[in-house]
Amino acid sequence: MPATATYQLLDGRACSDALKQRIAQEAAEVLAKRGRAPHLAAVLVGDDGASRTYVEAKVKACEAVGFRSSLIRLPASTTQQELIKQVQALNADADLDGFIVQLPLPDHLDADAVTLAIDPAKDVDGFHPVSLGNMVLGHDGFLPATPSGIVELLRHYGIATNGKHCVVVGRSNIVGTPMSILMSRNSDPGNCTVTLAHSRTRDLAAVTREADILIVAAGKPGLIGAAMVKQGAVVVDVGIHRVDDPSRKSGFRLLGDVRFEEVAPKCAWITPVPGGVGPMTIASLLLNTLKAASDVTRKLVN
Ligand code: NAD
């Protein structure tokens, strides 16, 4: 029987706009309390086009909610020692609530060592082992932006997760692995039975077809087709890929890991690409920065 197109969109732009309104109100309160708006810095090493776009979007989002932002551009030739020095300077900068070092870094730089050098109190990307440890233990801390943005998106649309089978495809430290942990936590959204699939998973289609909630972060354009998805599933596509498209002014268009046109008709809910997970990642980063600023404010007030 042909599937009917009754799916609804998990609209990350609309959800992040709602979140940003709340963040802007709270940013104004932080400013009133301590005379300084929340302040986020971003470090960009080299001039990779996609990374530049992401960083610029983050800086623009800061301005829109009344944060201060600083963009620190370093040449691709920056050495590990110079980058660590920059990180240490930002750690020590009392005027700054949080900062990120945009990944991926040029090949000669060690991203793990750079992440480890970040003061966990300013780790608004949530990538430091202390942040990840707090997340695993369910303690207060900075959650990694993309997985926590997806949780917010599911919350915003009232997606029932309790007792559902969630399949996460991809086990990276910044998306897939923390996503699997957040979905299995005793919380709402959460309380899923989680399967974490990856590049060595046998018969991926058989696994993904079992998913009530399918979250795909494999970094493989069009990996998931209709035959891999259960009828009525909730599908979240984290993948972002630029493909050349001379018909567009930009010269490219964005594709996800999910073949939207064929998969959407089988879904109850699905994220678009763009306009799904991307805006939520940025909103989560703002939330973490607000949290960093609010924690400082609480310390000042108490
Ligand atoms: P990554 O390359 O670090 O990890 C990909 C994971 O997918 C790996 O764990 C690998 O085992 C798994 N994988 C690869 N091929 C597979 C296959 N054929 N079958 C099953 N599993 C497979 O990627 P990442 O950093 O987690 O990012 C994933 C995607 O999400 C990328 O397209 C990235 O650009 C995108 N991304 C988007 C946002 C956003 O804000 N929208 C944020 C972060 C990442």
Side-chain angles (χ1 to χ4, degrees):
M1 206 169 68
T4 45
T6 54
Y7 67 89
Q8 299 191 70
L9 279 185
L10 293 164
D11 183 340
R13 279 203 189 105
C15 179
S16 77
D17 284 349
L19 264 176
K20 282 195 244 170
Q21 278 191 13
R22 268 180 33 211
I23 293 170
Q25 281 169 8
E26 291 189 34
E29 284 170 27
V30 170
L31 175 63
K33 268 190 205 151
R34 66 171 193 181
R36 256 189 331 110
H39 183 189
L40 172 77
V43 180
L44 177 64
V45 186
D47 49 13
D48 173 69
S51 293
R52 210 178 51 231
T53 310
Y54 296 145
V55 165
E56 284 168 359
K58 289 167 187 175
V59 168
K60 226 167 96 187
C62 283
E63 285 159 13
V65 295
F67 287 9
R68 266 184 68 201
S69 62
S70 305
L71 176 52
I72 297 152
R73 291 176 193 266
L74 300 176
S77 59
T78 302
T79 64
Q80 181 77 11
Q81 206 185 5
E82 286 165 340
L83 183 54
I84 298 279
K85 264 197 169 160
Q86 177 66 72
V87 166
Q88 287 166 343
L90 296 173
N91 285 341
D93 185 347
D95 201 33
L96 193 65
D97 295 299
F99 65 96
I100 63 165
V101 178
Q102 183 68 36
L103 302 179
L105 291 170
D107 287 345
H108 67 282
L109 297 172
D110 176 353
D112 286 345
V114 172
T115 302
L116 207 54
I118 295 174
D119 178 350
K122 293 190 174 183
D123 175 39
V124 289
D125 249 343
F127 296 164
H128 192 282
V130 167
S131 302
L132 291 172
N134 281 329
M135 179 196 67
V136 171
L137 297 171
H139 295 168
D140 186 37
F142 297 119
L143 296 174
T146 300
S148 70
I150 291 168
V151 169
E152 282 307 317
L153 189 61
L154 298 175
R155 191 197 317 280
H156 181 83
Y157 284 99
I159 304 297
T161 59
N162 199 349
K164 299 285 164 101
H165 185 186
C166 175
V167 175
V168 178
V169 183
R171 59 180 163 188
S172 73
N173 289 341
I174 62 171
V175 188
T177 295
M179 190 76 246
S180 69
I181 290 164
L182 291 181
M183 293 307 284
S184 63
R185 286 206 307 191
N186 184 1
S187 61
D188 183 22
N191 281 322
C192 286
T193 303
V194 175
T195 301
L196 182 55
H198 46 73
S199 52
R200 304 290 175 94
T201 296
R202 262 186 289 142
D203 197 354
L204 181 66
V207 175
T208 56
R209 269 198 301 271
E210 292 298 313
D212 302 310
I213 300 170
L214 177 61
I215 302 177
V216 190
K220 296 278 179 272
L223 175 70
I224 304 293
M228 300 172 80
V229 177
K230 188 202 268 192
Q231 185 74 39
V234 175
V235 174
V236 175
D237 187 356
V238 185
I240 314 180
H241 311 278
R242 283 182 180 212
V243 293
D244 289 342
D245 185 348
S247 72
R248 305 262 175 120
K249 210 172 104 197
S250 60
F252 67 86
R253 70 195 155 94
L254 296 176
L255 285 184
D257 286 356
V258 176
R259 282 173 251 155
F260 184 91
E261 295 302 329
E262 64 174 84
V263 170
K266 283 187 92 173
C267 296
W269 295 87
I270 184 168
T271 54
V273 177
V277 174
M280 293 308 299
T281 298
I282 293 183
S284 298
L285 177 66
L286 297 177
L287 268 178
N288 276 348
T289 306
L290 181 67
K291 177 176 167 48
S294 306
D295 287 351
V296 171
T297 309
R298 261 202 299 281
K299 277 181 210 145
L300 289 176
V301 171
N302 288 342

